[in-house]
């Protein structure tokens, strides 16, 4: 079945950096829009950043200028480079793949990001 496997989460101090990766399998990766969402305790899941199949990116206002989303279609992987991390970035981060020939919607299992001193 389709798999989205996230990695790269962890504990980092404020001002630090992390890079999240999401490797997809069993989908036509290049045909899917990809995104990262996050959910903090007690909050709804929110979009952090998205990238279309054509490479157009969009970001939540709260992360603009700090986070960069990119994709490598040859590796079926998306990367979220997170710089200048703040405590309010603490959340479980989920990878999402949407689109393809059947207009599918897939989610990864999530990876924890904790920003704390």
């Amino acid at each position: 079945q389709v798999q989205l496997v996230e990695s790269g989460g962890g504990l980092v101090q404020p001002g630090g950096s992390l890079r999240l990766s999401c490797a997809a399998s069993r989908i036509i990766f290049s045909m899917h829009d990809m995104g990262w969402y996050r959910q903090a305790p007690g909050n709804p899941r929110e979009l952090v950043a998205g990238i279309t199949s054509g490479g157009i990116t969009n970001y939540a206002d709260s992360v603009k200028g700090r986070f960069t989303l990119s994709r490598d279609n040859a590796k079926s992987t998306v990367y979220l480079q997170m710089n200048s991390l703040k405590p309010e970035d603490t959340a479980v981060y989920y990878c999402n793949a949407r689109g393809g020939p059947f207009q599918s919607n897939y989610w990864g299992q999530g990876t924890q990001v904790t920003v704390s001193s």
Side-chain angles (χ1 to χ4, degrees):
Q1 67 272 20
V2 173
Q3 283 190 312
L4 300 178
V5 179
E6 300 117 330
S7 61
L11 173 64
V12 63
Q13 292 187 342
S17 298
L18 284 174
R19 188 175 83 152
L20 303 183
S21 299
C22 171
S25 59
R26 298 184 178 88
I27 63 171
I28 306 173
F29 183 80
S30 61
M31 294 182 66
H32 286 73
D33 298 339
M34 302 297 296
W36 283 96
Y37 291 71
R38 67 186 180 188
Q39 188 168 20
N43 289 351
R45 191 173 295 189
E46 62 175 0
L47 176 67
V48 176
I51 185 166
T52 68
S53 58
I56 298 172
T57 54
N58 66 288
Y59 299 92
D61 288 343
S62 58
V63 307
K64 281 181 182 176
R66 300 189 297 124
F67 290 12
T68 302
L69 181 60
S70 61
R71 65 188 296 158
D72 185 338
N73 287 345
K75 295 182 178 180
S76 298
T77 301
V78 289
Y79 305 97
L80 183 67
Q81 178 66 44
M82 305 187 295
N83 299 328
S84 302
L85 283 161
K86 305 175 180 179
E88 50 264 43
D89 294 318
T90 296
V92 178
Y93 284 69
Y94 296 92
C95 180
N96 175 259
R98 188 171 303 179
F102 305 109
Q103 292 303 302
S104 304
N105 189 27
Y106 304 110
W107 292 94
Q109 80 286 356
T111 186
Q112 177 70 46
V113 171
T114 302
V115 184
S116 175
S117 55

